Amino acid sequence: MTSPSLRVLVLEDHAFQRSVAVNLLRELGCHQVFEAADGAQALAVLEQVGSVDLVLCDLCRKGLDGLGFLQQVCRHGLVRAVIISSSLPADLCRAGRQIITLLGLEVLGEVRKPLQLQALEPLLSKLQASRYTRPAAPRSVTLASEDQVRRALDEQRVQAWYQPKYNLLTGEVCGVEVLSRWVHPFLGIVSPAAFMPVVERCGWLDELLYGQMNHAMQLHKQALARGFDLNMAFNLHTRQLLDHELIPSIQRILGRHGVSGAALTFELSESGLLEVPSTSLESLLRLRMLGCQLSIDDFGAGYSSLKRVCQLPFNEIKLDAEFVRSLDQEPRCQVAISSTVALGASLGMSVVVEGIETPEQHKAVLALGCIQGQGYLYGRPMKSGELLSWLNRRTMSGADSSLEPGWRVVEYGN
């Protein structure tokens, strides 16, 4: 039985089907169930009762259809998740799921008509469980001003936080990704989406990177002294590759801290690799010559060709998290993951799967041949002191104890 705290809206134009859905939801423990016959009526219901956790929605109807309704409500954060109830062909439902996901809504799955209790119950349980493992999608992001970001950088409030990367077979922590978090004195932890566009626009990316590296190199030595040899992965923008001072600056930081380049990985988003000029290619090559690893981040989310992947000196692929999130609803994602693993093996590149949040996803990607992963199931982004304490606790209690329902820091400013 699900929690009665779930608020559900049934959007169905067929009166009998709507009645069946409402009764099944109440039988499953959802005491707050609202109903509407069309999109306009559904909007009126939400205006009266407020936001809901779930909409059980048929995409195809007269007037304001399901997609049109969801496009309107997502702008105001009135709906968190969607179950598609439809008799449309599978390929049309698949396209509908992709559109809904792009709207920022979680698609729990699809149920066919007539609606059955055994099809609906696991999807509701999935929604109930996800309430404790991941936050609702942010409604909007307010971009910080240049003065605010500049002051935050000067006061060192934009800090390096660390998220573990795992060997999925052994549970061993094989590295960490270095992330930026703005620790605001009043707002708490501000989302990177609120300040990173400003950092990029104002040309402060190098300043941020070098500050992160100095902090991370200190942490690397502290971790090494405790027996943890952590590879540190930094996000690098393709425009930074054009700077002739990039490689010398990285060399100076490594020399200052007495750390080998083999301890570093630089991640570049796939979308920025479509056109890489010769100057950038030289920088990539020199990073590899320093011993650094190079990773294609968010692979599968951009548009770079396989030819570019073969041309550039990368040795790691980080598969975009959306493939894992869509495993249950989209069978093609399984093929995409296994094909990427095979591609990596053929090219001599390791593959890291991002976005693993549940034990079921962990088992699924292992079965598809994945060896390395990252996600809230294993560890949240944390400050350096928290990371060292967390590593010590894992050592004392055993690596498998870390594979528990993940959690993440609450990001303000969304």
Coordinates of all heavy atoms in Angstrom, one line a residue, residues 239-311:
R239 N 36.7 26.1 -24.2 CA 37.3 27.4 -24.5 C 38.6 27.6 -23.7 O 39.5 28.4 -24.1 CB 36.4 28.6 -24.2 CG 36.2 28.9 -22.7 CD 35.2 30.1 -22.5 NE 33.9 29.8 -23.0 CZ 32.8 30.6 -22.7 NH1 33.0 31.7 -22.0 NH2 31.7 30.3 -23.1
Q240 N 38.7 26.9 -22.5 CA 40.0 27.0 -21.7 C 41.1 26.3 -22.4 O 42.3 26.7 -22.1 CB 39.7 26.4 -20.4 CG 38.8 27.1 -19.5 CD 38.5 26.4 -18.2 OE1 37.6 25.6 -18.1 NE2 39.3 26.7 -17.2
L241 N 40.8 25.4 -23.3 CA 41.9 24.8 -24.1 C 42.7 25.7 -25.0 O 43.8 25.5 -25.4 CB 41.4 23.6 -24.9 CG 40.7 22.5 -24.1 CD1 40.0 21.5 -25.1 CD2 41.7 21.7 -23.3
L242 N 42.0 26.9 -25.3 CA 42.7 27.9 -26.2 C 43.7 28.7 -25.5 O 44.5 29.4 -26.2 CB 41.6 28.8 -26.8 CG 40.5 28.1 -27.7 CD1 39.4 29.0 -28.1 CD2 41.2 27.5 -29.0
D243 N 43.7 28.7 -24.2 CA 44.6 29.5 -23.4 C 46.0 28.8 -23.3 O 46.2 27.7 -22.9 CB 44.1 29.7 -22.0 CG 44.9 30.6 -21.1 OD1 45.9 31.1 -21.6 OD2 44.6 30.8 -19.9
H244 N 47.0 29.5 -23.9 CA 48.4 29.0 -23.9 C 49.0 28.8 -22.5 O 49.9 28.1 -22.3 CB 49.3 29.9 -24.7 CG 48.9 29.9 -26.2 ND1 49.2 28.8 -27.0 CD2 48.3 30.9 -26.9 CE1 48.7 29.1 -28.3 NE2 48.2 30.4 -28.2
E245 N 48.4 29.5 -21.5 CA 48.9 29.4 -20.1 C 48.2 28.2 -19.4 O 48.6 28.0 -18.2 CB 48.6 30.7 -19.4 CG 49.5 31.8 -19.7 CD 51.0 31.5 -19.4 OE1 51.3 31.0 -18.3 OE2 51.8 31.7 -20.4
L246 N 47.3 27.5 -20.0 CA 46.6 26.4 -19.2 C 47.6 25.3 -18.8 O 47.6 25.0 -17.6 CB 45.5 25.8 -20.1 CG 44.8 24.6 -19.5 CD1 43.9 25.0 -18.4 CD2 43.9 23.9 -20.6
I247 N 48.3 24.8 -19.7 CA 49.2 23.7 -19.4 C 50.3 24.1 -18.4 O 50.6 23.4 -17.4 CB 49.8 23.1 -20.7 CG1 48.7 22.7 -21.7 CG2 50.7 21.9 -20.3 CD1 47.7 21.7 -21.1
P248 N 51.0 25.3 -18.7 CA 52.0 25.7 -17.7 C 51.4 25.9 -16.3 O 52.1 25.6 -15.3 CB 52.6 27.0 -18.3 CG 52.3 26.9 -19.8 CD 51.0 26.1 -19.9
S249 N 50.2 26.4 -16.2 CA 49.6 26.7 -14.9 C 49.3 25.4 -14.2 O 49.6 25.3 -13.0 CB 48.3 27.5 -15.1 OG 48.6 28.8 -15.6
I250 N 48.8 24.4 -14.9 CA 48.6 23.1 -14.3 C 49.9 22.4 -13.9 O 50.0 21.8 -12.8 CB 47.8 22.2 -15.3 CG1 46.4 22.7 -15.6 CG2 47.8 20.7 -14.8 CD1 45.6 22.0 -16.6
Q251 N 50.9 22.6 -14.7 CA 52.2 22.0 -14.3 C 52.7 22.7 -13.0 O 53.3 22.0 -12.2 CB 53.2 22.2 -15.4 CG 53.0 21.4 -16.7 CD 54.0 21.7 -17.8 OE1 54.2 22.8 -18.2 NE2 54.8 20.6 -18.2
R252 N 52.6 24.0 -12.9 CA 53.1 24.7 -11.7 C 52.3 24.2 -10.5 O 52.9 24.0 -9.4 CB 52.9 26.2 -11.9 CG 53.9 26.8 -12.8 CD 53.9 28.3 -12.7 NE 52.7 28.9 -13.2 CZ 52.6 29.3 -14.5 NH1 53.6 29.1 -15.3 NH2 51.4 29.8 -14.9
I253 N 51.0 24.0 -10.6 CA 50.2 23.5 -9.5 C 50.6 22.1 -9.1 O 50.8 21.8 -7.9 CB 48.7 23.6 -9.8 CG1 48.2 25.0 -10.0 CG2 47.9 22.9 -8.7 CD1 46.8 25.2 -10.5
L254 N 50.8 21.2 -10.0 CA 51.3 19.9 -9.7 C 52.7 19.9 -9.0 O 52.9 19.2 -8.1 CB 51.4 19.1 -11.0 CG 50.0 18.7 -11.7 CD1 50.3 18.0 -13.0 CD2 49.3 17.7 -10.8
G255 N 53.6 20.8 -9.6 CA 54.9 20.9 -9.0 C 54.9 21.4 -7.6 O 55.6 21.0 -6.7
R256 N 54.0 22.4 -7.3 CA 53.9 23.0 -6.0 C 53.5 22.0 -4.9 O 53.9 22.1 -3.8 CB 52.9 24.2 -6.1 CG 52.8 25.0 -4.8 CD 51.7 26.1 -4.9 NE 51.9 26.9 -6.1 CZ 51.0 27.2 -7.0 NH1 49.8 26.7 -6.9 NH2 51.3 27.9 -8.1
H257 N 52.6 21.1 -5.3 CA 52.1 20.1 -4.4 C 52.8 18.8 -4.5 O 52.4 17.9 -3.7 CB 50.6 20.0 -4.6 CG 49.8 21.2 -4.3 ND1 49.4 21.6 -3.0 CD2 49.3 22.2 -5.1 CE1 48.7 22.7 -3.1 NE2 48.6 23.1 -4.4
G258 N 53.7 18.6 -5.4 CA 54.4 17.4 -5.5 C 53.5 16.2 -5.9 O 53.6 15.1 -5.4
V259 N 52.5 16.5 -6.8 CA 51.5 15.5 -7.2 C 51.8 15.1 -8.7 O 52.0 16.0 -9.5 CB 50.1 16.0 -7.0 CG1 49.1 14.9 -7.5 CG2 49.8 16.2 -5.5
S260 N 51.6 13.9 -9.1 CA 51.8 13.5 -10.4 C 50.6 13.8 -11.3 O 49.4 13.8 -10.7 CB 52.1 11.9 -10.5 OG 51.9 11.4 -11.8
G261 N 50.7 14.0 -12.5 CA 49.6 14.2 -13.4 C 48.7 13.1 -13.5 O 47.5 13.2 -13.8
A262 N 49.2 11.9 -13.2 CA 48.3 10.7 -13.2 C 47.2 10.7 -12.2 O 46.3 9.9 -12.3 CB 49.2 9.4 -13.0
A263 N 47.3 11.6 -11.3 CA 46.3 11.7 -10.2 C 45.1 12.6 -10.7 O 44.1 12.8 -9.9 CB 46.9 12.3 -8.9
L264 N 45.2 13.2 -11.9 CA 44.2 14.1 -12.4 C 43.4 13.5 -13.6 O 44.0 12.8 -14.4 CB 44.8 15.4 -12.8 CG 45.1 16.5 -11.7 CD1 45.9 16.0 -10.6 CD2 45.7 17.7 -12.4
T265 N 42.2 13.9 -13.7 CA 41.3 13.6 -14.8 C 40.7 15.0 -15.2 O 40.2 15.7 -14.3 CB 40.3 12.6 -14.6 OG1 40.9 11.3 -14.4 CG2 39.3 12.4 -15.8
F266 N 40.6 15.3 -16.5 CA 39.9 16.5 -16.9 C 38.7 16.0 -17.7 O 38.8 15.3 -18.7 CB 40.8 17.4 -17.7 CG 41.8 18.1 -16.8 CD1 43.1 17.6 -16.8 CD2 41.5 19.2 -16.1 CE1 44.1 18.2 -16.0 CE2 42.5 19.8 -15.3 CZ 43.7 19.3 -15.2
E267 N 37.5 16.5 -17.3 CA 36.3 16.1 -18.0 C 35.8 17.3 -18.9 O 35.7 18.4 -18.4 CB 35.2 15.7 -17.0 CG 35.6 14.6 -16.1 CD 34.4 14.2 -15.1 OE1 33.3 14.8 -15.2 OE2 34.6 13.3 -14.3
L268 N 35.5 17.0 -20.1 CA 35.0 17.9 -21.1 C 33.7 17.5 -21.6 O 33.5 16.3 -22.0 CB 36.0 18.2 -22.2 CG 37.2 19.0 -21.9 CD1 38.4 18.0 -21.6 CD2 37.6 19.9 -23.0
S269 N 32.7 18.4 -21.6 CA 31.4 18.0 -22.1 C 31.4 17.6 -23.6 O 32.1 18.3 -24.4 CB 30.4 19.1 -21.9 OG 29.1 18.9 -22.4
E270 N 30.7 16.6 -23.9 CA 30.6 16.1 -25.3 C 30.2 17.2 -26.2 O 30.7 17.3 -27.4 CB 29.7 14.9 -25.4 CG 29.5 14.3 -26.8 CD 28.3 13.5 -27.0 OE1 27.4 13.5 -26.1 OE2 28.3 12.7 -28.0
S271 N 29.2 18.0 -25.8 CA 28.6 19.0 -26.7 C 29.7 20.0 -27.1 O 29.5 20.7 -28.2 CB 27.5 19.7 -26.0 OG 27.9 20.4 -24.8
G272 N 30.8 20.2 -26.4 CA 31.8 21.2 -26.7 C 32.9 20.6 -27.6 O 33.8 21.3 -28.0
L273 N 32.8 19.3 -28.0 CA 33.8 18.6 -28.7 C 33.5 18.5 -30.2 O 34.3 17.9 -30.9 CB 34.1 17.3 -28.1 CG 34.5 17.2 -26.7 CD1 34.7 15.8 -26.2 CD2 35.8 18.0 -26.5
L274 N 32.4 19.1 -30.6 CA 32.0 18.9 -32.0 C 33.1 19.5 -33.0 O 33.4 19.0 -34.0 CB 30.6 19.5 -32.3 CG 30.0 19.3 -33.6 CD1 29.9 17.8 -33.9 CD2 28.6 19.9 -33.7
E275 N 33.5 20.7 -32.6 CA 34.5 21.4 -33.4 C 35.7 21.8 -32.4 O 35.5 22.8 -31.7 CB 33.9 22.7 -34.1 CG 32.9 22.4 -35.1 CD 33.4 21.6 -36.3 OE1 34.7 21.7 -36.6 OE2 32.7 21.0 -37.0
V276 N 36.8 21.1 -32.5 CA 37.9 21.4 -31.7 C 39.1 21.8 -32.6 O 39.5 21.0 -33.4 CB 38.3 20.2 -30.8 CG1 39.6 20.5 -30.0 CG2 37.2 19.8 -29.9
P277 N 39.5 23.1 -32.5 CA 40.6 23.5 -33.3 C 41.9 22.9 -33.0 O 42.0 22.3 -31.9 CB 40.6 25.1 -33.1 CG 40.0 25.2 -31.7 CD 39.0 24.1 -31.6
S278 N 42.9 23.1 -33.8 CA 44.2 22.5 -33.6 C 44.8 22.9 -32.3 O 45.5 22.1 -31.7 CB 45.1 22.8 -34.8 OG 45.3 24.2 -34.9
T279 N 44.6 24.2 -31.9 CA 45.2 24.7 -30.6 C 44.7 23.9 -29.5 O 45.4 23.5 -28.5 CB 44.9 26.2 -30.4 OG1 45.4 26.9 -31.6 CG2 45.5 26.7 -29.2
S280 N 43.3 23.6 -29.5 CA 42.7 22.8 -28.4 C 43.2 21.4 -28.5 O 43.4 20.8 -27.4 CB 41.2 22.9 -28.6 OG 40.7 24.2 -28.5
L281 N 43.4 20.8 -29.6 CA 43.9 19.5 -29.7 C 45.3 19.4 -29.2 O 45.6 18.4 -28.5 CB 43.9 19.0 -31.2 CG 44.3 17.6 -31.5 CD1 43.5 16.6 -30.8 CD2 44.3 17.3 -33.0
E282 N 46.1 20.4 -29.4 CA 47.4 20.4 -28.8 C 47.4 20.4 -27.3 O 48.1 19.7 -26.6 CB 48.2 21.6 -29.3 CG 49.6 21.7 -28.7 CD 50.3 22.9 -29.2 OE1 49.9 23.6 -30.1 OE2 51.4 23.3 -28.6
S283 N 46.4 21.2 -26.7 CA 46.3 21.2 -25.3 C 45.9 19.9 -24.7 O 46.4 19.4 -23.7 CB 45.3 22.3 -24.8 OG 45.7 23.6 -25.2
L284 N 44.9 19.2 -25.4 CA 44.5 17.9 -25.0 C 45.7 16.9 -25.0 O 45.9 16.1 -24.1 CB 43.4 17.4 -25.9 CG 42.0 18.1 -25.8 CD1 41.1 17.6 -26.9 CD2 41.4 17.9 -24.4
L285 N 46.5 17.0 -26.1 CA 47.6 16.1 -26.2 C 48.6 16.3 -25.1 O 49.2 15.4 -24.5 CB 48.3 16.2 -27.5 CG 49.5 15.4 -27.8 CD1 49.2 13.9 -27.7 CD2 50.1 15.7 -29.2
R286 N 48.9 17.6 -24.8 CA 49.8 17.9 -23.7 C 49.4 17.5 -22.3 O 50.1 17.1 -21.5 CB 50.2 19.4 -23.7 CG 50.9 19.8 -25.0 CD 51.5 21.3 -24.9 NE 52.2 21.6 -26.1 CZ 53.5 21.3 -26.3 NH1 54.1 20.6 -25.4 NH2 54.1 21.6 -27.4
L287 N 48.0 17.6 -22.1 CA 47.5 17.1 -20.8 C 47.8 15.6 -20.7 O 48.1 15.1 -19.6 CB 46.0 17.4 -20.7 CG 45.6 18.8 -20.5 CD1 44.1 19.0 -20.6 CD2 46.1 19.2 -19.1
R288 N 47.6 14.8 -21.8 CA 47.8 13.4 -21.8 C 49.3 13.1 -21.6 O 49.7 12.2 -20.9 CB 47.4 12.7 -23.1 CG 45.9 12.6 -23.2 CD 45.3 11.6 -22.2 NE 46.0 10.3 -22.2 CZ 45.7 9.3 -23.0 NH1 44.7 9.4 -23.9 NH2 46.4 8.2 -23.0
M289 N 50.2 14.0 -22.2 CA 51.6 13.8 -22.0 C 52.1 14.1 -20.6 O 53.1 13.5 -20.1 CB 52.4 14.7 -23.0 CG 52.2 14.3 -24.5 SD 52.8 15.5 -25.6 CE 54.6 15.5 -25.3
L290 N 51.3 14.9 -19.9 CA 51.5 15.1 -18.4 C 51.1 13.9 -17.6 O 51.5 13.8 -16.4 CB 50.8 16.3 -17.9 CG 51.3 17.7 -18.2 CD1 50.4 18.8 -17.7 CD2 52.7 17.9 -17.6
G291 N 50.4 13.0 -18.2 CA 50.0 11.8 -17.5 C 48.5 11.9 -17.0 O 48.0 10.9 -16.4
C292 N 47.9 13.0 -17.4 CA 46.5 13.2 -17.0 C 45.5 12.3 -17.8 O 45.8 12.0 -19.0 CB 46.1 14.7 -17.1 SG 47.1 15.8 -16.2
Q293 N 44.4 12.0 -17.2 CA 43.3 11.3 -17.9 C 42.4 12.3 -18.5 O 42.2 13.4 -18.0 CB 42.5 10.4 -17.0 CG 43.4 9.4 -16.2 CD 44.1 8.4 -17.1 OE1 43.4 7.7 -17.8 NE2 45.4 8.3 -17.0
L294 N 41.8 12.0 -19.7 CA 40.8 12.9 -20.3 C 39.5 12.1 -20.5 O 39.5 11.0 -21.0 CB 41.3 13.3 -21.7 CG 42.5 14.2 -21.7 CD1 42.9 14.6 -23.2 CD2 42.3 15.5 -20.9
S295 N 38.4 12.7 -20.1 CA 37.1 12.1 -20.1 C 36.1 12.9 -20.9 O 36.0 14.1 -20.7 CB 36.6 11.9 -18.6 OG 35.3 11.4 -18.6
I296 N 35.3 12.2 -21.7 CA 34.2 12.8 -22.4 C 33.0 12.8 -21.5 O 32.4 11.7 -21.2 CB 33.9 12.1 -23.7 CG1 35.1 12.1 -24.6 CG2 32.7 12.8 -24.5 CD1 34.9 11.3 -25.9
D297 N 32.6 13.9 -21.0 CA 31.5 14.0 -20.0 C 30.1 14.0 -20.7 O 30.0 14.6 -21.8 CB 31.6 15.2 -19.1 CG 30.8 15.1 -17.8 OD1 30.3 14.1 -17.5 OD2 30.7 16.2 -17.1
D298 N 29.1 13.5 -20.0 CA 27.7 13.5 -20.6 C 27.6 12.9 -21.9 O 26.9 13.4 -22.8 CB 27.2 15.0 -20.6 CG 27.1 15.6 -19.2 OD1 26.9 14.9 -18.2 OD2 27.3 16.8 -19.1
F299 N 28.3 11.9 -22.2 CA 28.4 11.2 -23.5 C 26.9 10.7 -23.8 O 26.3 10.1 -23.0 CB 29.3 10.0 -23.5 CG 29.5 9.4 -24.8 CD1 30.3 10.0 -25.8 CD2 28.8 8.2 -25.2 CE1 30.5 9.4 -27.0 CE2 29.0 7.6 -26.4 CZ 29.8 8.2 -27.3
G300 N 26.5 11.0 -25.1 CA 25.2 10.7 -25.5 C 24.2 11.8 -25.5 O 23.1 11.7 -26.0
A301 N 24.6 12.9 -24.7 CA 23.7 14.0 -24.6 C 23.9 15.0 -25.7 O 23.1 15.9 -26.0 CB 23.8 14.6 -23.2
G302 N 25.1 15.0 -26.3 CA 25.5 16.0 -27.3 C 25.4 15.5 -28.7 O 24.7 14.5 -28.9
Y303 N 26.2 16.0 -29.6 CA 26.1 15.7 -31.0 C 27.4 15.4 -31.6 O 27.5 15.4 -32.8 CB 25.4 16.8 -31.7 CG 24.0 17.2 -31.2 CD1 23.9 18.2 -30.3 CD2 22.9 16.4 -31.6 CE1 22.6 18.5 -29.8 CE2 21.6 16.8 -31.1 CZ 21.5 17.8 -30.2 OH 20.3 18.1 -29.7
S304 N 28.4 15.1 -30.8 CA 29.7 14.8 -31.4 C 29.7 13.5 -32.1 O 29.0 12.5 -31.7 CB 30.8 14.8 -30.3 OG 30.6 13.8 -29.4
S305 N 30.4 13.4 -33.2 CA 30.4 12.2 -34.0 C 31.3 11.2 -33.5 O 32.3 11.5 -32.7 CB 30.7 12.5 -35.5 OG 32.1 13.0 -35.6
L306 N 31.2 9.9 -33.9 CA 32.1 8.9 -33.5 C 33.5 9.2 -34.1 O 34.5 8.8 -33.5 CB 31.6 7.5 -34.0 CG 30.4 7.0 -33.3 CD1 30.0 5.6 -33.9 CD2 30.6 6.8 -31.8
K307 N 33.5 9.8 -35.2 CA 34.8 10.2 -35.8 C 35.6 11.1 -34.9 O 36.8 10.9 -34.7 CB 34.6 10.9 -37.1 CG 35.9 11.3 -37.9 CD 35.5 12.0 -39.2 CE 36.8 12.4 -39.9 NZ 36.6 13.1 -41.2
R308 N 34.9 12.1 -34.2 CA 35.6 13.0 -33.3 C 36.1 12.2 -32.1 O 37.1 12.5 -31.5 CB 34.7 14.1 -32.9 CG 34.2 15.0 -34.0 CD 35.4 15.7 -34.7 NE 35.9 16.8 -33.9 CZ 37.2 17.3 -34.1 NH1 38.0 16.8 -35.0 NH2 37.6 18.3 -33.3
V309 N 35.2 11.3 -31.6 CA 35.6 10.5 -30.5 C 36.9 9.7 -30.8 O 37.8 9.6 -29.9 CB 34.5 9.5 -30.0 CG1 35.0 8.5 -29.0 CG2 33.3 10.3 -29.6
C310 N 37.0 9.2 -32.0 CA 38.2 8.4 -32.4 C 39.4 9.3 -32.6 O 40.6 8.9 -32.3 CB 37.9 7.6 -33.6 SG 36.7 6.4 -33.5
Q311 N 39.2 10.6 -33.0 CA 40.3 11.5 -33.3 C 40.9 12.0 -32.1 O 42.2 12.2 -32.0 CB 39.8 12.6 -34.2 CG 39.5 12.3 -35.6 CD 38.9 13.4 -36.4 OE1 38.3 14.3 -35.8 NE2 39.0 13.4 -37.7

